[in-house]
Amino acid sequence: MSERLRDYHGKRDFRRTGEPEGGEGRAAPEPRFVVQIHDARTMHFDFRLQVGDVLKSWSVPKGPSDLPKDKRLAVPTEDHPLEYEEFEGVIPEGQYGGGTVIVWDHGMYEPLSHDRRGNLVDFAGSLERGHATFRLHGTKLRGVYALTRFRDGDWLLVKTAEGRSRGRGSPDPRRARSARTGRTLAQVAAHSGDG
Ligand code: MN
């Protein structure tokens, strides 16, 4: 069990939540990303990038935007297990993050961070230093995005301008559909009792 999941485990009671405990997942050769919509106490999006054997995670209140002019606040949260990429369902009320989760988008990404000389640098190190760029190959999100720390504990998620941008901004979380199952939050919530 990864030491890096200690915070994740500390917040959850796995006898009650259906979220994955983790530890079984194998890191994919091509790193993966997932964007979940989480209808918790406050609606937000969770943006996660596979780095090593965990999903580095940020809570993005307004959701990612495909318009370069939109700078989206992204607040780091605890590392999640790789299996979390698949998680869609209802976290019981009273549990940490209680509410409904759908997988809004997922796919692979290419780390793109370079140093000043243009050499590719270690992606995890770039994140630790507070700036990393990557190309997303999702079913919805495509293109180059950057995550940049701009003050203690706060990051920005921004799409970088390349070529013509004809984005639509951020999705309406209540109308958005799962990339895995095509369901809305309401549909997932309505079937939460099915087991
Ligand atoms: Mn969340």
Side-chain angles (χ1 to χ4, degrees):
M1 182 57 55
S2 173
E3 190 70 6
R4 297 172 71 189
L5 293 177
R6 187 191 295 195
D7 286 353
Y8 176 84
H9 285 123
K11 291 172 188 284
R12 291 170 174 81
D13 179 352
F14 294 101
R15 292 166 302 183
R16 301 218 36 219
T17 181
E19 294 166 286
E21 255 183 280
E24 305 292 319
R26 286 275 171 78
E30 305 273 16
R32 309 273 306 167
F33 82 97
V34 60
V35 182
Q36 280 147 325
I37 302 179
H38 188 178
D39 185 12
R41 201 163 27 155
T42 55
M43 181 77 79
H44 63 275
F45 291 67
D46 287 299
F47 186 85
R48 312 188 198 279
L49 295 173
Q50 179 195 325
V51 179
D53 61 355
V54 295
L55 297 174
K56 302 298 290 182
S57 298
W58 291 260
S59 172
V60 183
K62 290 186 176 173
S65 172
D66 54 7
L67 295 171
K69 69 178 175 58
D70 291 338
K71 295 176 170 46
R72 294 299 194 226
L73 178 66
V75 180
T77 59
E78 75 276 16
D79 293 349
H80 279 50
L82 298 176
E83 295 92 328
Y84 214 92
E85 183 195 332
E86 304 283 321
F87 180 72
E88 188 163 279
V90 177
I91 301 168
E93 207 157 320
Q95 293 298 296
Y96 181 74
T100 308
V101 176
I102 61 170
V103 172
W104 178 68
D105 197 14
H106 57 177
M108 51 157 283
Y109 77 93
E110 286 169 64
L112 293 175
S113 299
H114 293 74
D115 66 14
R116 285 182 182 166
R117 294 197 185 95
N119 299 312
L120 210 60
V121 298
D122 167 56
F123 189 74
S126 298
L127 279 176
E128 269 163 40
R129 287 188 295 278
H131 178 68
T133 58
F134 41 88
R135 183 183 296 276
L136 299 179
H137 297 275
T139 58
K140 292 162 181 157
L141 296 178
R142 291 163 189 272
V144 177
Y145 285 74
L147 271 165
T148 308
R149 186 165 52 219
F150 71 101
R151 65 182 179 220
D152 203 28
D154 288 331
W155 294 59
L156 292 174
L157 174 64
V158 182
K159 184 167 195 210
T160 64
E162 46 162 11
R164 271 193 312 161
S165 101
R166 24 182 200 91
R168 283 161 297 180
S170 296
D172 174 347
R174 298 202 180 277
R175 289 167 165 264
R177 289 183 179 274
S178 164
R180 290 190 64 216
T181 61
R183 297 180 298 173
T184 62
L185 283 168
Q187 286 169 334
V188 170
H191 290 93
S192 67
D194 294 357

